Amino acid sequence: RRRKATRSRWFGSMFAWILKTIPVIAGSSGWIARAAERCSAQRNVEYRRLDFIADALPAPLDLIVCSEVLYYLPDLDTLARLGERIAQALRPGGCLITAHAYVVDDDRTTSGFDWGHPWGAKSISRVLAAVPQLALERSVCTPLYRIDRGHARDQRQLGGNRNRAIRRQQQRGVEIAGQ
């Protein structure tokens, strides 16, 4: 717990110094209060409570970071729909960073945490890579965690052809959900 708080403090304060405005959005008012306390020196941080399944996401955004949160969604279909909403909230070229743990139930052939979640970093990466409006650029993988960086594609580049976007991602070696 202590280590996670230290990482969160460092991560949040790192962005607070380089970005003009940072909207911090979370589902928990307790988390927002702790984040506001940790980043009290940065006046460019705005805090909002938001249910990112039900509420509209603010847009356009340059960066969205989802850390240790996406495996709490009810199912992978909800994750896919949220991925599409995230892509719409990002400006073209805007960055999405996800950071999640590997979960035992996601892949029983490798190490992972046994937290009772049916899926983790591997499935999150696979499902988000299948969203045509998002392009996975790079992944950093450790034995227990995965961080993915991607960006929102310009809608004009998609030309409305979902299959062509998926084929391009497959050619780059990105795993696609359901394949």
Side-chain angles (χ1 to χ4, degrees), residues 5 20 50 96 140 154:
K20 190 173 181 179
L50 179 111
L96 170 64
V140 176
D154 188 327

Side-chain angles (χ1 to χ4, degrees), residues 73-96:
L73 295 173
D75 54 56
L76 294 175
D77 290 335
T78 303
L79 175 60
R81 287 191 303 275
L82 178 61
E84 291 171 359
R85 293 181 60 227
I86 286 172
Q88 292 169 357
L90 287 167
R91 69 164 173 73
C95 186
L96 170 64

